[in-house]
């Protein structure tokens, strides 16, 4: 057995590791599995959705082959372990781009589907599952199910955002979008408080494809921050400055993100970016994936790891809920560096357990300070609960089962599609098995 | 006139070889010949490479790895279709040392596939490249071939055979247009070493290893240790006196 941690590094429990190296071998391998398992790609989800302590992880990164790409229609077929990075680098020079991408491109296609990830353009194009045309799903009894929006649509709705629990995704077909080149026309606008944020968000949705904001959650509960928006730029050829890759080389004995460093970090970041605000032409990689060049950045939270907390609350009452959460955080002095605030579009997600819903989403990170952090997160839970919101399972390691059940009303329907041979830390914690 | 570079890969479904192919094709369109035993697996590799680089021409050859006559025919066919720039000989399998000790058949098979077969392929290509006075023969050896260790000396012996062979070939072609490159990867994260990973071994990323191989081959380095730290580690291991070495559990 091998100790494996998720991206939040909260624990490193022992797992049996089994690599999936060839799609045709997957049905047999799953049928003969001696423990329950869960598919595991790059392990970029933060909590226990990609873990299965004492059980098996089926590592999918060996399923990294492209199968077909039609440069006329933009349809891409690939195995599920292909990285979004490899897709972007292959298709952008040919005039196509992934319509949806999360904040890291070092994730697999299978993981992006299973967590129905979203990006900064959710208000325009929805989430990852909205662009999937077909999924090949292998069940642990060896059955192969091909599903899509028009084919076994119920299996498709269960599998998109299905947290890997309906079977192992081995292949997918994705509809890409047209793009001129890798460049974005970006603008950074500082805002002083939440009212200004919501005004900026609402006025930007019609004209800007990508919107996101960084919020300084310890500068006071007013919520000053930086609003970033972008459209793809009509410039094709510009010299690309290959970003330098830096690695956090070891796990520091204590979290580098703490009460003292955070205030300095956040103040400096706010003022530096405010000074540099305005229009710019930016390459898509630093805009979409600001942390991908800082390899192993999760180590900076020290040996105890960190929690991510991403919630979405409906717009009706959302302003007050976000305000209340920021106030709680400021009061706790525990704050967060990677605090992201964004409005979602008004479309219903494809998956039964997809996270995005109409409203406003706040993502936060907290170094793990044990009971103190748990207490703070419980106070945030109460606010999310009262506002009728929900928490993103891909980032969660501790939400109460009751909040999960309240937040995901299609859970009972989803349970019929679960694969009895598949289990994860999260599924045992939140669904009983 | 055809200006595409021509590359031949023996053992094209090896993870290291496949990642080298991805890098070569990313640099420029290539006429690539993939040689392997399992037709369906090579097909998967070829399809992927074709999507990545549609301007490349990719040919598949299903081949026998152990029969000298078959090897001669296959290499003859490949060479007859044009001048080759690079041949990468990458096939092999990591045997269990215990199996090799308990069963002479396993021992024989391990030496044959990891030692004899790569040499036969290299020798067949060497003859043709000598005629053209052009091309690079790159052989994947292993750090395991640098000094015999109790945990995998049968595999190590086969890779050592490849190393000594490459050395001779380098001597033979010194000062000519033919280059010989011996690649010595450390333990790399591939399907071949999957069982090591489950035992908690730290393995190098196959992408990094492939990048260093492609760069080393382009530079015509005679020996490539990858990751580079293995050059130092193996220098120490090779030079340890027996009374210390024999006490080590490696």
């Amino acid at each position: 057995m091998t100790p494996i941690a998720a991206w939040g590094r909260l624990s490193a429990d022992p797992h049996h590791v089994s690599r999936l190296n060839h799609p045709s071998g997957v049905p047999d391998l799953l049928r003969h599995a001696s423990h329950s398992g869960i598919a595991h790609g790059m392990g970029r989800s933060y909590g226990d959705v990609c873990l299965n302590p004492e059980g098996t992880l089926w590592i999918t990164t060996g399923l990294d082959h492209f199968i077909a790409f039609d440069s006329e229609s933009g349809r891409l077929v690939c195995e599920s372990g292909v990285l979004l990075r490899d897709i972007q680098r292959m298709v952008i020079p040919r005039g196509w781009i992934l319509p949806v991408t999360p904040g890291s491109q070092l994730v697999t296609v299978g993981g992006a589907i299973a967590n129905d990830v979203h990006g900064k353009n959710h208000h325009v194009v929805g989430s990852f599952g909205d662009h999937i045309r077909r999924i090949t799903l292998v069940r642990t009894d060896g059955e192969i199910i091909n599903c899509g929006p028009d084919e076994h649509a119920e299996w498709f709705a269960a599998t998109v955002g299905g947290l890997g629990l309906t079977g192992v995704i081995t292949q997918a077909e994705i509809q890409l979008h047209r793009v001129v080149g890798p460049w974005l026309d970006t603008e950074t606008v500082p805002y002083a408080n939440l009212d200004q944020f919501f005004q900026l968000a609402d006025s930007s949705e019609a004209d800007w494809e990508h919107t996101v904001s960084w919020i300084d959650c310890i500068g006071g509960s007013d919520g000053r921050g930086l609003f970033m928006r972008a459209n793809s730029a009509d410039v094709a050829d510009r010299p690309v400055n290959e970003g330098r890759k830096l690695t956090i080389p070891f796990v520091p004995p204590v979290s580098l993100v703490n009460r003292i460093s955070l205030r300095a970090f956040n103040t400096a970041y706010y003022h530096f970016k405010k000074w540099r605000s305005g229009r710019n032409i930016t390459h898509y990689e630093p805009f979409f994936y600001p942390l991908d060049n800082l390899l192993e950045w999760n180590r900076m939270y020290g040996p105890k790891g960190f929690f991510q907390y991403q919630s979405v609350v409906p717009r009706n009452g959302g302003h007050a809920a976000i305000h209340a959460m920021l106030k709680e955080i400021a009061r706790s002095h525990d704050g967060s560096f990677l605090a992201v605030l964004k409005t979602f579009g008004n479309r219903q997600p494809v998956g039964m357990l997809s996270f995005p819903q109409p409203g406003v989403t706040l993502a936060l990170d907290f170094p793990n300070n044990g009971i103190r952090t748990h207490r703070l997160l419980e106070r945030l839970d109460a606010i999310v609960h009262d506002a009728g919101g929900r928490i993103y399972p891909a980032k969660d390691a501790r939400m109460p089962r009751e909040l999960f059940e309240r937040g995901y009303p299609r859970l009972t329907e989803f349970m019929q599609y679960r694969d009895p041979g598949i289990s994860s830390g999260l599924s045992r914690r939140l669904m009983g098995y | 006139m055809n200006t595409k570079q021509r590359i031949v890969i023996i053992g094209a479904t090896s993870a290291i070889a496949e990642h080298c192919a991805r890098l070569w094709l990313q640099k420029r369109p290539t006429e690539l010949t993939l040689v392997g035993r399992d037709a369906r697996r090579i097909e998967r590799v070829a399809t992927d490479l074709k999507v990545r680089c549609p301007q490349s021409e990719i040919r598949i050859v299903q081949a026998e790895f152990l029969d000298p006559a078959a090897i001669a025919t296959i290499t003859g066919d490949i060479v007859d279709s044009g001048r080759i720039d690079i041949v990468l000989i990458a096939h092999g399998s990591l045997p269990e040392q215990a199996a090799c000790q308990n069963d002479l058949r396993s021992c024989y098979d391990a030496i044959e596939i990891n030692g004899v077969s790569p040499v036969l392929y290299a020798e067949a290509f060497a003859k043709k490249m000598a005629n053209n006075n052009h091309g690079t023969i790159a052989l994947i050896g292993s750090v395991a071939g640098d000094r015999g260790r109790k945990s995998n000396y049968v595999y190590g012996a086969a890779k050592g055979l490849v190393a000594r062979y490459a050395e001779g070939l380098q001597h033979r072609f010194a000062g000519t247009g033919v280059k010989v490159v011996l690649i010595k990867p450390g333990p790399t994260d591939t399907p071949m070493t999957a069982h090591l990973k489950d035992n908690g071994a730290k393995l190098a990323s196959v992408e990094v290893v492939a990048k260093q191989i492609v760069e080393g081959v382009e530079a015509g380095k005679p020996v490539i240790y990858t990751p580079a730290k293995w050059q130092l580690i193996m220098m120490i291991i090779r030079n340890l006196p027996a009374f210390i070495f024999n006490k080590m559990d490696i």
Side-chain angles (χ1 to χ4, degrees), chain B residues 65-89:
Chain B
F65 279 171
L66 304 175
D67 173 19
I71 292 172
T73 314
I74 290 158
T75 50
D77 288 350
I78 293 171
V79 171
D80 287 347
S81 57
R83 194 175 86 150
I84 296 167
D85 298 302
I86 300 169
V87 56
L88 174 66
I89 300 172

Short mmCIF file of all heavy atoms in Angstrom, two decimals, chain B residues 65-89:
data_model
loop_
_atom_site.label_atom_id
_atom_site.label_comp_id
_atom_site.label_asym_id
_atom_site.label_seq_id
_atom_site.Cartn_x
_atom_site.Cartn_y
_atom_site.Cartn_z
N PHE B 65 10.58 -9.94 -31.93
CA PHE B 65 11.72 -9.34 -31.25
C PHE B 65 12.90 -10.30 -31.05
O PHE B 65 13.98 -9.89 -30.68
CB PHE B 65 11.30 -8.80 -29.88
CG PHE B 65 10.63 -7.45 -29.95
CD1 PHE B 65 10.02 -6.92 -28.84
CD2 PHE B 65 10.63 -6.71 -31.13
CE1 PHE B 65 9.41 -5.68 -28.89
CE2 PHE B 65 10.02 -5.47 -31.18
CZ PHE B 65 9.40 -4.95 -30.07
N LEU B 66 12.67 -11.61 -31.23
CA LEU B 66 13.71 -12.54 -30.80
C LEU B 66 14.35 -13.34 -31.94
O LEU B 66 15.43 -13.88 -31.76
CB LEU B 66 13.13 -13.51 -29.76
CG LEU B 66 12.50 -12.82 -28.53
CD1 LEU B 66 11.84 -13.84 -27.63
CD2 LEU B 66 13.55 -12.02 -27.77
N ASP B 67 13.70 -13.39 -33.07
CA ASP B 67 14.20 -14.23 -34.16
C ASP B 67 15.14 -13.42 -35.07
O ASP B 67 14.72 -12.47 -35.72
CB ASP B 67 13.00 -14.76 -34.94
CG ASP B 67 13.43 -15.51 -36.19
OD1 ASP B 67 14.61 -15.93 -36.25
OD2 ASP B 67 12.60 -15.65 -37.11
N PRO B 68 16.44 -13.80 -35.12
CA PRO B 68 17.40 -13.01 -35.91
C PRO B 68 17.02 -12.87 -37.38
O PRO B 68 17.17 -11.78 -37.96
CB PRO B 68 18.71 -13.80 -35.78
CG PRO B 68 18.53 -14.69 -34.60
CD PRO B 68 17.07 -14.93 -34.44
N ALA B 69 16.49 -13.94 -37.97
CA ALA B 69 16.13 -13.86 -39.39
C ALA B 69 15.01 -12.85 -39.58
O ALA B 69 15.04 -12.03 -40.52
CB ALA B 69 15.70 -15.24 -39.89
N ALA B 70 14.00 -12.89 -38.68
CA ALA B 70 12.88 -11.95 -38.79
C ALA B 70 13.37 -10.51 -38.59
O ALA B 70 12.94 -9.60 -39.31
CB ALA B 70 11.81 -12.29 -37.77
N ILE B 71 14.27 -10.33 -37.65
CA ILE B 71 14.81 -8.99 -37.40
C ILE B 71 15.52 -8.46 -38.65
O ILE B 71 15.35 -7.30 -39.04
CB ILE B 71 15.76 -9.00 -36.18
CG1 ILE B 71 14.95 -9.27 -34.90
CG2 ILE B 71 16.53 -7.68 -36.05
CD1 ILE B 71 15.78 -9.49 -33.64
N ALA B 72 16.28 -9.33 -39.29
CA ALA B 72 16.99 -8.92 -40.50
C ALA B 72 16.00 -8.49 -41.58
O ALA B 72 16.18 -7.45 -42.24
CB ALA B 72 17.87 -10.06 -41.01
N THR B 73 14.92 -9.25 -41.76
CA THR B 73 13.93 -8.92 -42.78
C THR B 73 13.25 -7.58 -42.48
O THR B 73 13.13 -6.71 -43.34
CB THR B 73 12.85 -10.02 -42.85
OG1 THR B 73 13.51 -11.28 -42.85
CG2 THR B 73 11.97 -9.87 -44.06
N ILE B 74 12.81 -7.45 -41.22
CA ILE B 74 12.08 -6.24 -40.84
C ILE B 74 12.94 -4.99 -41.02
O ILE B 74 12.52 -4.01 -41.63
CB ILE B 74 11.63 -6.34 -39.35
CG1 ILE B 74 10.54 -7.39 -39.21
CG2 ILE B 74 11.14 -5.00 -38.84
CD1 ILE B 74 10.43 -7.92 -37.80
N THR B 75 14.15 -5.05 -40.50
CA THR B 75 15.02 -3.86 -40.62
C THR B 75 15.35 -3.60 -42.09
O THR B 75 15.40 -2.45 -42.51
CB THR B 75 16.32 -4.02 -39.81
OG1 THR B 75 16.90 -5.28 -40.13
CG2 THR B 75 16.05 -3.99 -38.32
N GLY B 76 15.51 -4.66 -42.85
CA GLY B 76 15.78 -4.50 -44.28
C GLY B 76 14.66 -3.75 -44.96
O GLY B 76 14.88 -2.77 -45.69
N ASP B 77 13.42 -4.15 -44.67
CA ASP B 77 12.26 -3.49 -45.28
C ASP B 77 12.21 -2.01 -44.91
O ASP B 77 11.91 -1.15 -45.74
CB ASP B 77 10.95 -4.15 -44.80
CG ASP B 77 10.78 -5.53 -45.43
OD1 ASP B 77 11.56 -5.85 -46.36
OD2 ASP B 77 9.89 -6.27 -44.99
N ILE B 78 12.47 -1.75 -43.63
CA ILE B 78 12.38 -0.36 -43.16
C ILE B 78 13.45 0.50 -43.84
O ILE B 78 13.19 1.59 -44.33
CB ILE B 78 12.54 -0.29 -41.62
CG1 ILE B 78 11.34 -0.97 -40.94
CG2 ILE B 78 12.67 1.16 -41.15
CD1 ILE B 78 11.52 -1.15 -39.44
N VAL B 79 14.66 -0.04 -43.89
CA VAL B 79 15.77 0.73 -44.45
C VAL B 79 15.60 0.94 -45.95
O VAL B 79 15.93 2.00 -46.48
CB VAL B 79 17.10 0.02 -44.13
CG1 VAL B 79 18.24 0.68 -44.87
CG2 VAL B 79 17.34 0.03 -42.63
N ASP B 80 15.03 -0.06 -46.63
CA ASP B 80 14.87 0.05 -48.08
C ASP B 80 13.95 1.21 -48.46
O ASP B 80 14.03 1.73 -49.57
CB ASP B 80 14.30 -1.25 -48.65
CG ASP B 80 15.37 -2.35 -48.64
OD1 ASP B 80 16.55 -1.99 -48.44
OD2 ASP B 80 15.03 -3.53 -48.81
N SER B 81 13.07 1.62 -47.55
CA SER B 81 12.13 2.68 -47.93
C SER B 81 12.70 4.08 -47.71
O SER B 81 11.99 5.06 -47.87
CB SER B 81 10.80 2.50 -47.19
OG SER B 81 11.03 2.50 -45.80
N GLY B 82 13.95 4.21 -47.33
CA GLY B 82 14.55 5.54 -47.26
C GLY B 82 15.61 5.65 -46.18
O GLY B 82 15.71 4.82 -45.29
N ARG B 83 16.38 6.73 -46.30
CA ARG B 83 17.48 6.95 -45.37
C ARG B 83 16.96 7.31 -43.98
O ARG B 83 16.08 8.17 -43.85
CB ARG B 83 18.36 8.08 -45.92
CG ARG B 83 19.69 8.20 -45.25
CD ARG B 83 20.52 9.26 -45.94
NE ARG B 83 20.22 10.58 -45.39
CZ ARG B 83 21.13 11.57 -45.34
NH1 ARG B 83 22.34 11.39 -45.84
NH2 ARG B 83 20.81 12.74 -44.82
N ILE B 84 17.52 6.68 -42.95
CA ILE B 84 17.03 6.90 -41.59
C ILE B 84 17.91 7.89 -40.85
O ILE B 84 19.13 7.82 -40.90
CB ILE B 84 17.01 5.56 -40.83
CG1 ILE B 84 16.01 4.61 -41.50
CG2 ILE B 84 16.63 5.77 -39.37
CD1 ILE B 84 16.14 3.19 -41.01
N ASP B 85 17.24 8.81 -40.12
CA ASP B 85 17.98 9.78 -39.32
C ASP B 85 18.23 9.28 -37.90
O ASP B 85 19.31 9.45 -37.36
CB ASP B 85 17.24 11.11 -39.29
CG ASP B 85 17.12 11.70 -40.69
OD1 ASP B 85 18.17 11.91 -41.32
OD2 ASP B 85 15.98 11.90 -41.16
N ILE B 86 17.19 8.73 -37.30
CA ILE B 86 17.34 8.26 -35.92
C ILE B 86 16.64 6.90 -35.78
O ILE B 86 15.52 6.74 -36.25
CB ILE B 86 16.69 9.24 -34.91
CG1 ILE B 86 17.31 10.63 -34.99
CG2 ILE B 86 16.78 8.69 -33.48
CD1 ILE B 86 16.55 11.69 -34.21
N VAL B 87 17.29 5.96 -35.13
CA VAL B 87 16.56 4.77 -34.69
C VAL B 87 16.70 4.68 -33.17
O VAL B 87 17.80 4.79 -32.62
CB VAL B 87 17.04 3.48 -35.42
CG1 VAL B 87 18.53 3.26 -35.25
CG2 VAL B 87 16.27 2.27 -34.90
N LEU B 88 15.55 4.57 -32.51
CA LEU B 88 15.54 4.44 -31.05
C LEU B 88 15.14 3.02 -30.71
O LEU B 88 14.05 2.56 -31.09
CB LEU B 88 14.54 5.43 -30.44
CG LEU B 88 14.32 5.31 -28.92
CD1 LEU B 88 15.58 5.66 -28.14
CD2 LEU B 88 13.16 6.19 -28.47
N ILE B 89 16.03 2.32 -30.02
CA ILE B 89 15.75 0.93 -29.67
C ILE B 89 15.37 0.90 -28.19
O ILE B 89 16.21 1.12 -27.31
CB ILE B 89 16.97 0.05 -29.99
CG1 ILE B 89 17.23 0.16 -31.50
CG2 ILE B 89 16.72 -1.39 -29.57
CD1 ILE B 89 18.49 -0.51 -31.96
#
